[in-house]
Amino acid sequence: MRHPTSPPSRPLIGYILPSTTLSPRTAYLLNPPSEPRHVFPYAGLGAVLSSSITVVEGLLRQVDDYNSETDSDYTSYWRDWFISTRGHEYFCEIDEEYLTDRFNLTGLQQDVHYYQYALDLITDVFDFDCDDEIREQIEKSARHLYGLVHARYIITTRGLQKMLEKYKKCDFGRCPRVFCRAHPLLPIGLSDIAHTKSVKLYCAKCEDVYSPKSSRHASIDGAYFGTSFPHILFQVYPALLPAKSNERYVPRCFGFKTHAMAALARWQEIKRDQQDQRLEEARVDFKRVEGAEEEGSSSEAASR
């Protein structure tokens, strides 16, 4: 039984004297508006809620960052994770249709441990409950298998198109040789056998190879690109093959050519002229440009 002096649970407004002056906050709580308000009655309350929302959004961003930085256990597509990993900028994404065609994977079973599990992981159908150690070995095998398949994929029509887009954007870097004038590079392997040579960068202008600047790229196996990829690319797209430059550096002391290097330069020029003559006799189209001519053409193209 309620005590006679105890106020009822509702409504409290009946026990407030008419002469009593209510604070705005109390009046708002006791008599809420019939229509929702879009502005808080107090700036302090809005600031508190705003700061709380900011904290929650920050926590959500941290969760997203954590999910994006974890391994492929938490990613939806293994290939997207592999391509977006730092140091894998040289790779292109292999189409799923190419991966699921067993003919394209002929001969790779004996080169990759946990071959079937690695292939399932790449194609996002992996469903095997294993401990962390086995999982790590399967991940390593999946990366190796992807690289071996990548060397075959990039010489197909679809693969050449994807690598061509990266070549046009200079994703592989530019030639460090001064007289090549920052010509784009292409990745190439010095051996088709895995774990033999690391990837190098080929310049079609000076026809030489260079080591990548980044240590992440320098650790990539050259067999993941093969020894034929750049040359097949220029066979399919001959218009991209640059003109060879006759410009070369000549060592000088006080303006005079050094004797040994001058003799070597003369010998190289003779050999080059002989090669040009053989190409003309074989009716092979080729073009050589001088340094001044090349600079003029590049400046005209830039002005346009």
Side-chain angles (χ1 to χ4, degrees), residues 21-303:
T21 302
L22 300 178
S23 64
R25 182 175 184 180
T26 304
Y28 177 82
L29 294 175
L30 295 178
N31 300 288
S34 58
E35 297 181 358
R37 296 184 179 181
H38 300 285
V39 181
F40 291 104
Y42 285 93
L45 181 59
V48 171
L49 293 178
S50 177
S51 60
S52 302
I53 294 174
T54 303
V55 172
V56 173
E57 290 177 348
L59 293 175
L60 291 176
R61 283 195 296 269
Q62 292 179 4
V63 172
D64 293 339
D65 294 341
Y66 174 78
N67 290 336
S68 62
E69 293 175 359
T70 51
D71 58 7
S72 59
D73 287 333
Y74 303 95
T75 54
S76 300
Y77 302 101
W78 188 90
R79 282 167 292 160
D80 293 340
W81 164 81
F82 182 83
I83 296 299
S84 61
T85 303
R86 293 187 61 184
H88 292 175
E89 292 81 6
Y90 289 178
F91 293 93
C92 69
E93 184 176 357
I94 303 176
D95 295 332
E96 186 173 359
E97 293 79 7
Y98 189 87
L99 288 168
T100 53
D101 188 349
R102 297 307 176 98
F103 177 78
N104 301 324
L105 310 180
T106 303
L108 298 181
Q109 291 84 348
Q110 60 270 21
D111 296 333
V112 180
H113 298 291
Y114 302 103
Y115 169 81
Q116 189 58 50
Y117 291 133
L119 182 60
D120 292 343
L121 183 60
I122 294 175
T123 55
D124 302 308
V125 295
F126 182 79
D127 187 15
F128 177 62
D129 188 13
C130 58
D131 55 21
D132 294 341
E133 183 178 356
I134 299 299
R135 174 71 183 215
E136 184 178 355
Q137 294 179 6
I138 295 176
E139 285 274 1
K140 183 177 180 181
S141 298
R143 292 192 292 268
H144 182 52
L145 177 60
Y146 189 92
L148 295 178
V149 179
H150 183 268
R152 301 181 177 186
Y153 176 74
I154 59 177
I155 58 176
T156 63
T157 302
R158 179 63 176 161
L160 287 172
Q161 291 175 354
K162 290 185 177 182
M163 297 297 281
L164 177 61
E165 294 299 324
K166 299 174 72 68
Y167 173 71
K168 290 181 178 180
K169 295 186 293 185
C170 300
D171 288 348
F172 309 116
R174 297 178 180 273
C175 183
R177 183 173 180 267
V178 174
F179 294 125
C180 286
R181 290 175 174 79
H183 190 78
L185 299 171
L186 283 170
I188 189 174
L190 300 182
S191 175
D192 291 318
I193 302 176
H195 310 300
T196 303
K197 297 286 186 179
S198 62
V199 66
K200 304 300 179 183
L201 297 173
Y202 171 77
C203 175
K205 198 172 189 65
C206 62
E207 297 180 337
D208 208 346
V209 293
Y210 303 91
S211 298
K213 294 181 179 179
S214 174
S215 59
R216 293 188 180 91
H217 297 151
S219 61
I220 299 175
D221 199 322
Y224 296 165
F225 299 90
T227 57
S228 305
F229 160 66
H231 316 300
I232 294 178
L233 179 69
F234 290 119
Q235 288 287 336
V236 177
Y237 302 99
L240 297 177
L241 192 63
K244 301 300 182 287
S245 175
N246 286 336
E247 190 176 13
R248 56 181 297 126
Y249 173 74
V250 179
R252 298 174 183 271
C253 292
F254 302 104
F256 298 97
K257 296 180 181 179
T258 56
H259 176 71
M261 296 304 299
L264 177 61
R266 287 195 299 270
W267 176 82
Q268 290 177 337
E269 290 176 359
I270 293 175
K271 291 296 182 182
R272 185 174 58 194
D273 293 339
Q274 293 176 354
Q275 181 183 9
D276 294 346
Q277 185 177 359
R278 289 196 298 269
L279 292 175
E280 290 179 356
E281 293 175 354
R283 297 181 180 180
V284 177
D285 294 333
F286 70 96
K287 179 182 179 182
R288 294 188 182 275
V289 296
E290 300 295 339
E293 180 182 350
E294 183 181 2
E295 288 183 355
S297 60
S298 60
S299 60
E300 290 177 1
S303 62

